[in-house]
Amino acid sequence: MRIVTLPKDNLVPFLESTKAFGELHAPLRRGEESCALGKVDNAADIQVGCLRTILPPKKYFMPQEQTMFSFSPEGYEPVAEEAGKRYVLFGLHPCDIHGLKILDLVFSGKYTDPYYFERRKHVAIIGLDCIPDEYCFCDSMGTSFAEDGFDLFLNDIGDRYLVMVGTSLGDDMVNASARLFGEVDETAKEEFKRRSNTRREHFAVEVETWGLPEIFDMEYESPLWREAGERCLSCGACSMVCPTCYCYDVLDLLELNAEKGVRKRRWDSCLFKDYALVAGGHNFRKERSSRVKNRFFHKQRGFVAEYGRPACTGCGRCIVDCPAQINIVELITKLRSYSHV
């Protein structure tokens, strides 16, 4: 892997130069305390210190609403929304990069999702390291460090960034602004190692994942699920902000002549009351407690069985944004406790 350095004073001109590779999007201020990924007109406006955007980067690859195709009595025609449009996403932290890798697993399975990968191949990823806060538990989920899944990754080493070049596209981006970059010297190496060790000391939350799938099985009838269900509002906020939740609903919208229309898909949530409602009126998860349990089981039990890893990155968004203050770390800790075994 090629490694170079980028002085912090050169970050803004470098990010401006990346617009030659696609429309630049990065964390921008939304309100006093929030940031959201959005189009960057001036790279100086980017919130480099933003730890957690409101929505994760999945919105670029599976939009909240997407037209799949139009149909008529003659057949159907694919609808190419923003076909070929290129983006450069800057400021993705390791947990969000792992979130995209998890979505890659899901959408590249038995039935490959062409809509997802059509967008995926046109987006460049520039990662950025971070210092965890009291909601981050990515270290426990194995997503606190990104070894791949990016074109470039910037590590803060004081007055410079240590830049990891992950792909040929990333190499092109560096070469296009070669005058802004420098070589890696011994000082940069030592500072990177020192900061890597220090960063781990900032994690205040730890989740023990050893044997967790088996504990979920043993605690399937735990009263903790009923307690969580009584608090849950079924608003679906946890699903919307989750970097790995990928459920969507499909619907056909007809024109007034009822002959032509379009098929769309929209984000959905397993927390919604009618998510498991089927024809005939039966609802497989009518109770809120069963929906809460299903979500956690899918993340920490079912996904492990299918893909060998949990579908949780430990980003902390679901903890921050849950209006009922349901905390996945607290729930897992209680499930693991002896008093519930």
Side-chain angles (χ1 to χ4, degrees):
M1 177 182 289
R2 181 187 179 191
I3 305 175
V4 294
T5 59
L6 176 69
K8 287 188 174 178
D9 289 342
N10 291 347
L11 178 62
V12 169
F14 167 64
L15 292 176
E16 287 290 347
S17 75
T18 63
K19 292 179 180 178
F21 294 86
E23 189 172 281
L24 177 62
H25 285 235
L28 300 173
R29 180 63 64 192
R30 296 286 187 271
E32 295 184 1
E33 298 181 355
S34 300
C35 295
L37 288 166
K39 181 184 177 183
V40 176
D41 294 320
N42 185 346
D45 295 333
I46 295 174
Q47 300 298 305
V48 177
C50 173
L51 181 61
R52 188 178 292 111
T53 55
I54 300 171
L55 290 180
K58 71 178 181 182
K59 68 177 185 177
Y60 290 95
F61 309 99
M62 46 174 299
Q64 291 96 327
E65 180 175 288
Q66 184 175 23
T67 302
M68 303 169 72
F69 56 81
S70 62
F71 57 84
S72 68
E74 287 73 37
Y76 71 93
E77 291 288 336
V79 175
E81 295 181 333
E82 298 186 338
K85 184 173 182 178
R86 295 189 175 277
Y87 290 91
V88 176
L89 295 187
F90 168 73
L92 273 60
H93 298 314
C95 60
D96 276 345
I97 291 175
H98 279 275
L100 292 178
K101 292 173 66 176
I102 290 172
L103 292 181
D104 288 348
L105 284 175
V106 173
F107 289 122
S108 64
K110 183 177 180 180
Y111 302 103
T112 302
D113 188 310
Y115 303 99
Y116 174 84
F117 284 105
E118 178 62 23
R119 289 172 172 269
R120 191 78 165 93
K121 68 182 181 183
H122 290 121
V123 178
I125 303 294
I126 303 179
L128 180 67
D129 71 353
C130 54
I131 298 297
D133 67 3
E134 68 271 28
Y135 302 108
C136 296
F137 57 103
C138 54
D139 201 40
S140 299
M141 294 293 123
T143 64
S144 61
F145 184 82
E147 298 175 330
D148 56 17
F150 54 81
D151 297 286
L152 296 173
F153 194 94
L154 279 58
N155 297 278
D156 189 341
I157 54 170
D159 59 352
R160 295 179 289 174
Y161 293 103
L162 193 71
V163 183
M164 310 295 186
V165 182
T167 65
S168 58
L169 175 59
D171 199 47
D172 291 343
M173 297 169 86
V174 170
N175 290 337
S177 303
R179 60 182 177 79
L180 301 176
F181 291 87
E183 299 298 321
V184 178
D185 53 30
E186 289 301 320
T187 301
K189 295 177 185 176
E190 293 304 315
E191 188 61 16
F192 173 74
K193 287 185 280 188
R194 188 189 71 80
R195 286 179 179 253
S196 294
N197 293 330
T198 301
R199 182 170 178 264
R200 298 202 67 175
E201 298 172 359
H202 284 81
F203 283 98
V205 179
E206 183 178 359
V207 177
E208 177 55 71
T209 59
W210 189 88
L212 192 57
E214 290 75 16
I215 291 175
F216 265 72
D217 282 341
M218 290 186 285
E219 292 296 320
Y220 192 81
E221 302 297 338
S222 169
L224 288 172
W225 301 119
R226 177 177 48 79
E227 295 171 12
E230 290 173 351
R231 294 169 57 191
C232 178
L233 302 177
S234 292
C235 65
C238 53
S239 299
M240 303 304 147
V241 301
C242 177
T244 66
C245 275
Y246 51 82
C247 287
Y248 58 82
D249 194 11
V250 176
L251 63 159
D252 291 339
L253 300 179
L254 292 171
E255 296 180 5
L256 289 177
N257 61 13
E259 293 184 347
K260 299 180 179 179
V262 293
R263 176 162 294 181
K264 291 177 175 287
R265 64 180 183 182
R266 295 173 178 167
W267 286 5
D268 204 350
S269 170
C270 57
L271 272 304
F272 291 162
K273 184 178 181 180
D274 59 356
Y275 181 84
L277 181 65
V278 297
H282 182 70
N283 194 328
F284 287 96
R285 287 188 285 275
K286 184 179 180 180
E287 305 298 328
R288 280 180 296 171
S289 59
S290 66
R291 298 196 291 273
V292 172
K293 180 164 63 175
N294 171 72
R295 184 171 191 276
F296 283 107
F297 260 74
H298 171 70
K299 296 287 184 186
Q300 303 290 346
R301 178 66 182 93
F303 206 86
V304 173
E306 181 71 20
Y307 297 102
R309 55 150 304 152
C312 174
T313 66
C315 70
R317 285 187 178 88
C318 61
I319 301 174
V320 173
D321 292 310
C322 178
Q325 299 182 329
I326 296 175
N327 186 317
I328 182 175
V329 174
E330 293 179 358
L331 196 147
I332 289 176
T333 302
K334 288 180 179 178
L335 281 176
R336 295 194 68 94
S337 69
Y338 290 110
S339 61
H340 292 283
V341 173

